[in-house]
Amino acid sequence: MNALQSMRTKLNPLGIYNLTQSSNIYKELSAYAEALDKHRENLDNLLRECFISTAEDYGIEIREKAIGDLRSNYTLGQRREMLALRNSINENDFTFSSLAKFIRCMGITSATISENPASSLIVIRVVNTFSESDKRWILNQLYLFLPSHLNAEVIINNETWSNHTQGSNYFVLVS
């Protein structure tokens, strides 16, 4: 039911308004109803964009921009899944399984993670191929996520990046 029908249904029983289509009251109610219907449409859109599971446009884009970059090369379903995974990670998630989940939330569908506790080393081998900008974004996100006391090597597009090069405060290309 649109706003005009709703107003007519509520006002008709009162019997004090002339609600025929040629009356001024009807025309005034029609103008109000048009604005109310548009407002309702905007509210419905806003409510839809507030939640990852229903967002289709700016609700997804705002969340992606907050963590770095738009992931427009993925489907809407994949983008929602990555954002939901990212939201499920908190400040206490520094386990092996949390790292695997974090890697999936960046759109990496195929990777291996190796640990060498004796040398405090984590090696992440990404099987997917990424563009230069995506690769930089992934390296930056991993650098921000990985514990600072561990050395890490990340292999993307057959290039090895390391954060344990002396004086490095970022991942540096090793080979």
Side-chain angles (χ1 to χ4, degrees):
M1 176 181 296
N2 66 23
L4 180 60
Q5 292 169 334
S6 177
M7 288 189 281
R8 285 187 72 194
T9 302
K10 291 173 177 82
L11 293 174
N12 226 6
L14 298 176
I16 57 174
Y17 298 106
N18 178 7
L19 298 176
T20 59
Q21 290 188 359
S22 60
S23 72
N24 286 339
I25 296 291
Y26 181 87
K27 292 173 184 174
E28 187 176 350
L29 290 177
S30 295
Y32 289 143
E34 190 171 326
L36 287 171
D37 287 339
K38 183 64 177 164
H39 185 60
R40 176 57 163 218
E41 184 181 310
N42 290 339
L43 287 174
D44 289 344
N45 186 36
L46 177 65
L47 186 59
R48 183 183 67 244
E49 296 296 325
C50 282
F51 301 97
I52 292 172
S53 61
T54 56
E56 298 174 354
D57 187 29
Y58 64 87
I60 297 285
E61 290 178 5
I62 288 170
R63 287 175 177 87
E64 288 176 337
K65 286 178 182 177
I67 58 172
D69 202 6
L70 289 179
R71 314 305 291 165
S72 55
N73 52 332
Y74 292 93
T75 66
L76 183 59
Q78 291 170 324
R79 293 167 76 185
R80 283 181 180 152
E81 182 182 348
M82 290 187 293
L83 287 169
L85 274 172
R86 182 70 175 244
N87 280 352
S88 71
I89 297 169
N90 64 39
E91 67 275 357
N92 297 318
D93 283 332
F94 291 107
T95 63
F96 188 85
S97 62
S98 297
L99 177 58
K101 185 174 19 171
F102 185 76
I103 287 171
R104 282 194 326 273
C105 84
M106 290 185 292
I108 300 171
T109 57
S110 185
T112 58
I113 306 168
S114 307
E115 298 178 282
N116 185 345
S119 60
S120 299
L121 178 66
I122 294 177
V123 178
I124 302 168
R125 181 179 301 277
V126 178
V127 179
N128 306 76
T129 302
F130 289 96
S131 68
E132 280 299 310
S133 63
D134 284 345
K135 183 174 59 176
R136 290 283 179 194
W137 179 77
I138 289 168
L139 290 168
N140 182 47
Q141 294 298 303
L142 284 170
Y143 184 79
L144 294 172
F145 180 80
L146 291 169
S148 60
H149 69 282
L150 295 178
N151 297 321
E153 288 183 1
V154 181
I155 303 161
I156 303 178
N157 298 351
N158 294 319
E159 298 174 334
T160 302
W161 298 79
S162 174
N163 74 340
H164 56 90
T165 306
Q166 189 171 7
S168 172
N169 59 357
Y170 189 72
F171 281 101
V172 177
L173 181 62
V174 177
S175 64

